Amino acid sequence: MKKYINKKYNTPFQLKLPLEIEKIIEISDPVYTFCEVLNQIDLKSYLVVKENRTGRKRFDSEILLKVILFAFMEHGYVSTREIEKLCKTDIRFMYLLNEQPAPSHMTIDNFMNYCLLDSIENIFNEINTYIFEQEQVDTEHVYIDGTKIEANANKYSWVWKKSSIKNRNKTFDKITSLLEEINKFIAYQGVRFDIRTEYAVEYMEEITANCVRLFKINPEKIVRGRGRRKSSEQRYYDKLIEYTAKLKKYAEHIRISGNHRNSYSKTDNGATFFRMKTDYMGNDQLLPGYNIQLGLCDEYIAVYDVQQYASDMDCFQPLMEKFNNTYHKYPLYPVADAGYGSFNNYLYCEEHSMEKYMKFTMFKKETEDQKYREDPYRAVNFPINENGNPVCPGGKEFHYLYSRPVRGNQFGRTEEMYQCEDCSECRLKEQCCKCSGSRVVRINEELTKFHKEVLSNLNSTKGALLRMNRSIQAEGAFGTIKWNRSYRRTRRRGLKGVNFELALISCGFNLHKYHLKKQSQQLAA
């Protein structure tokens, strides 16, 4: 008898569960560094939820926070669905869950929105407190940089504040013409509406209500559509309704724009339209975005901020105030690039005992272009005579004309205008100026003094080292966040949402940096 053995069978695999997951994870894994930091923080005090409800027991908030922060530490920015997947497939997340089932993406999202949104900044500060103490981080030197990141908004959803003001003024003129016409129409009743240069929405609603009473119109029975003739009273009423709606719309646009920006996006009212460095359309168009600011100390993010200003100059003071609120002091050496150097910021540094290590706009040309720096026809290079007046290379004296305030200056700075006594017969006029009459120059002694101090600071050995460190640390941090970790566009909307995103990213960045430094120290030892 032959034995027929069927070899086409499936070998059963026995499911083997490790008793201790911790033994499988390598000792050099980032999860152990992460647990070291988070176990030193009392997380429960920041995760208190005041809610009385029935139903299933709430997921452990401390475990959820650890899972979220570790995901941001490892991957930069991750979505809630990616975190849910990691909890089901990554053994390190299973270790953090501590035998708890993997949370759903909705559980993670609700926890982030309703529990973590208001406390993430305090958690970020607690993480920094432990890391800074372990690493002996120097908070006297802060390296500052900013970048514009595209918002989660439609590209062509802009609203311009100046256009809204212009159209509102045109609507005021139309309302004036309409009220003059209505006054003529109701003159026989002895009633007259007040004519103004500007009209409030409340005043227009009051006029509309009075017209309904005077014209005896029933708004619910007015005629609409083609072929149905409107009366004069109804035409006046429809125009009042139309202009009132327009005034409401323009007032809302101006209110959302605020006092410090000229545009916003309809799909994300917190976003402002900027010129981005990386414009994928290739035509230098405006895109909605936020101005993100970082201040780093010894390669760690010490402070972050999100602003709606297009210029970095306006972002410096809010960032330093946030640093002071966090660390209860101002840094001694705030180092920044040419986007931050202005008279306001230099005076702010003077007021708070900070050294001036921020470049100004013409710093590179002042440093590298000797011809420009030593140009005898520049007003700042004119010698001052015994009368305190500048003297040009031709020997002509400049006399004081008047002083005028500098536009946009919050400290009341003024600039002085000087005019040459006579340029008509000067042999150096062609080299000195191209004006037809006598030359007029602007001189600001305070700003010139600040520029000389900044040049002296930044051109010293210490200044050169600080500039090099700033380019390595600050710009390197943005390179890691934007390109290595693919955070080039916000996912949330509004200032609060983007601040929340940046706080999570900063927590992950600092935890990852701490792990790398810790590993490098162990290898060196």
Side-chain angles (χ1 to χ4, degrees):
M1 295 289 292
K2 292 183 179 180
K3 291 185 178 181
Y4 295 95
I5 301 173
N6 184 12
K7 295 184 178 180
K8 297 180 180 180
Y9 59 86
N10 295 326
T11 305
F13 291 95
Q14 183 178 359
L15 182 63
K16 297 180 181 180
L17 295 176
L19 297 178
E20 294 184 17
I21 297 178
E22 186 176 358
K23 292 183 179 180
I24 301 177
I25 305 173
E26 294 184 3
I27 193 65
S28 61
D29 197 90
V31 71
Y32 293 118
T33 305
F34 174 80
C35 291
E36 173 202 336
V37 177
L38 269 293
N39 289 339
Q40 303 298 322
I41 302 172
D42 182 17
L43 299 176
K44 293 290 186 182
S45 59
Y46 301 110
L47 302 175
V48 178
V49 179
K50 297 180 179 179
E51 183 179 359
N52 296 322
R53 67 183 181 91
T54 59
R56 190 171 58 182
K57 184 180 178 182
R58 183 183 295 276
F59 202 98
D60 192 323
S61 58
E62 188 172 352
I63 292 177
L64 269 178
L65 175 61
K66 288 183 178 181
V67 166
I68 292 168
L69 290 181
F70 185 66
F72 276 84
M73 174 184 175
E74 281 291 280
H75 303 280
Y77 187 90
V78 287
S79 67
T80 56
R81 294 181 184 273
E82 289 173 345
I83 296 175
E84 179 187 1
K85 183 178 179 181
L86 289 170
C87 290
K88 294 177 180 178
T89 58
D90 196 320
I91 195 170
R92 298 174 300 173
F93 286 83
M94 297 178 188
Y95 169 68
L96 291 175
L97 286 172
N98 194 19
E99 300 183 358
Q100 295 286 331
S104 68
H105 68 276
M106 284 305 301
T107 300
I108 298 170
D109 185 66
N110 290 334
F111 172 75
M112 294 170 73
N113 291 331
Y114 300 111
C115 187
L116 193 58
L117 189 63
D118 296 324
S119 58
I120 185 61
E121 187 171 347
N122 295 326
I123 296 171
F124 169 75
N125 294 334
E126 287 287 347
I127 292 172
N128 278 2
T129 301
Y130 177 78
I131 294 177
F132 286 13
E133 183 179 351
Q134 295 297 315
E135 293 289 311
Q136 299 296 316
V137 173
D138 176 23
T139 55
E140 296 294 336
H141 296 78
V142 178
Y143 304 101
I144 302 167
D145 198 12
T147 186
K148 295 182 180 69
I149 186 168
E150 188 178 350
N152 182 14
N154 296 352
K155 294 185 287 293
Y156 305 108
S157 59
W158 52 64
V159 175
W160 305 109
K161 180 181 175 182
K162 290 183 179 179
S163 296
S164 299
I165 294 174
K166 181 179 178 181
N167 292 330
R168 186 184 64 174
N169 292 336
K170 289 182 178 179
T171 305
F172 287 157
D173 296 337
K174 292 179 181 179
I175 292 173
T176 298
S177 301
L178 178 64
L179 290 183
E180 289 176 351
E181 188 176 346
I182 292 176
N183 285 338
K184 292 179 181 178
F185 184 76
I186 60 175
Y188 71 94
Q189 298 186 25
V191 180
R192 186 178 184 279
F193 294 118
D194 188 20
I195 304 297
R196 303 177 180 178
T197 55
E198 296 182 356
Y199 299 92
V201 174
E202 295 77 11
Y203 180 64
M204 291 300 299
E205 291 175 347
E206 181 183 349
I207 290 178
T208 305
N210 290 333
C211 285
V212 170
R213 180 176 54 83
L214 291 172
F215 297 155
K216 298 180 181 180
I217 296 176
N218 187 357
E220 298 178 356
K221 295 182 179 180
I222 56 178
V223 296
R224 299 288 184 204
R226 294 179 60 184
R228 307 187 69 179
R229 184 177 298 276
K230 296 180 182 180
S231 63
S232 300
E233 291 85 351
Q234 183 178 340
R235 286 198 295 270
Y236 293 145
Y237 173 78
D238 289 345
K239 285 291 184 182
L240 288 172
I241 293 295
E242 177 188 349
Y243 294 154
T244 304
K246 285 185 177 181
L247 288 183
K248 286 181 180 179
K249 181 180 69 172
Y250 297 141
E252 183 68 9
H253 291 339
I254 296 169
R255 183 193 66 80
I256 294 175
S257 297
N259 299 325
H260 303 292
R261 58 177 183 158
N262 294 322
S263 65
Y264 74 90
S265 171
K266 292 178 183 177
T267 47
D268 182 3
N269 293 347
T272 308
F273 278 82
F274 300 131
R275 296 192 184 277
M276 303 289 184
K277 289 182 180 178
T278 54
D279 180 13
Y280 46 80
M281 297 292 288
N283 54 10
D284 194 32
Q285 71 170 1
L286 296 170
L287 295 174
Y290 292 92
N291 197 340
I292 291 178
Q293 301 291 314
L294 294 182
L296 286 92
C297 299
D298 290 349
E299 301 183 48
Y300 292 104
I301 298 176
V303 64
Y304 64 89
D305 199 13
V306 180
Q307 294 292 339
Q308 298 169 317
Y309 301 114
S311 173
D312 288 336
M313 291 182 184
D314 300 322
C315 301
F316 175 76
Q317 295 182 27
L319 187 69
M320 290 297 98
E321 287 298 326
K322 191 171 183 180
F323 185 94
N324 179 47
N325 293 334
T326 304
Y327 301 99
H328 309 292
K329 66 175 183 179
Y330 291 95
L332 186 59
Y333 299 97
V335 187
D337 62 4
Y340 296 85
S342 67
F343 181 84
N344 289 351
N345 292 340
Y346 292 145
L347 202 58
Y348 179 82
C349 290
E350 189 93 6
E351 181 182 356
H352 296 94
S353 303
M354 292 187 286
E355 298 292 334
K356 304 172 191 66
Y357 281 86
M358 298 102 65
K359 298 178 184 177
F360 50 88
T361 307
M362 301 298 291
F363 172 80
K364 185 175 182 180
K365 198 164 186 178
E366 285 272 8
T367 306
E368 299 179 0
D369 192 343
Q370 183 179 2
K371 182 179 179 181
Y372 172 80
R373 182 174 63 251
E374 299 177 358
D375 184 5
Y377 301 106
R378 287 179 63 200
V380 294
N381 293 331
F382 287 174
I384 305 299
N385 62 9
E386 62 277 2
N387 297 327
N389 295 326
V391 179
C392 71
K396 303 291 185 179
E397 184 177 1
F398 280 72
H399 297 288
Y400 172 78
L401 286 179
Y402 58 88
S403 297
R404 65 180 184 184
V406 177
R407 179 186 174 187
N409 188 269
Q410 60 185 357
F411 293 101
R413 178 168 71 96
T414 60
E415 55 186 6
E416 290 73 34
M417 310 299 293
Y418 288 83
Q419 187 175 25
C420 183
E421 55 184 352
D422 186 16
C423 289
S424 58
E425 299 180 358
C426 182
R427 55 187 176 84
L428 302 175
K429 184 174 181 181
E430 291 184 0
Q431 295 86 356
C432 184
C433 70
K434 298 180 181 180
C435 57
S436 57
S438 298
R439 182 181 178 184
V440 178
V441 297
R442 297 179 300 172
I443 294 179
N444 190 294
E445 297 180 0
E446 292 178 328
L447 185 60
T448 304
K449 178 184 174 183
F450 283 145
H451 283 180
K452 290 181 179 178
E453 183 180 354
V454 171
L455 284 169
S456 175
N457 290 341
L458 293 177
N459 289 329
S460 63
T461 304
K462 182 179 179 63
L465 290 173
L466 291 179
R467 280 188 287 150
M468 180 183 66
N469 270 322
R470 191 208 67 83
S471 62
I472 293 171
Q473 296 188 27
E475 295 181 10
F478 277 118
T480 301
I481 291 172
K482 293 179 70 175
W483 300 104
N484 296 354
R485 300 197 158 201
S486 301
Y487 183 70
R488 293 187 287 273
R489 183 177 182 181
T490 64
R491 273 68 165 186
R492 293 172 178 260
R493 293 179 174 177
L495 272 175
K496 193 171 183 180
V498 179
N499 263 297
F500 178 68
E501 277 187 4
L502 188 58
L504 288 172
I505 291 170
S506 300
C507 289
F509 180 89
N510 286 354
L511 289 167
H512 185 68
K513 180 66 69 174
Y514 177 63
H515 171 72
L516 293 179
K517 286 193 173 185
K518 190 177 177 182
Q519 290 298 114
S520 63
Q521 290 172 2
Q522 290 177 357
L523 291 174

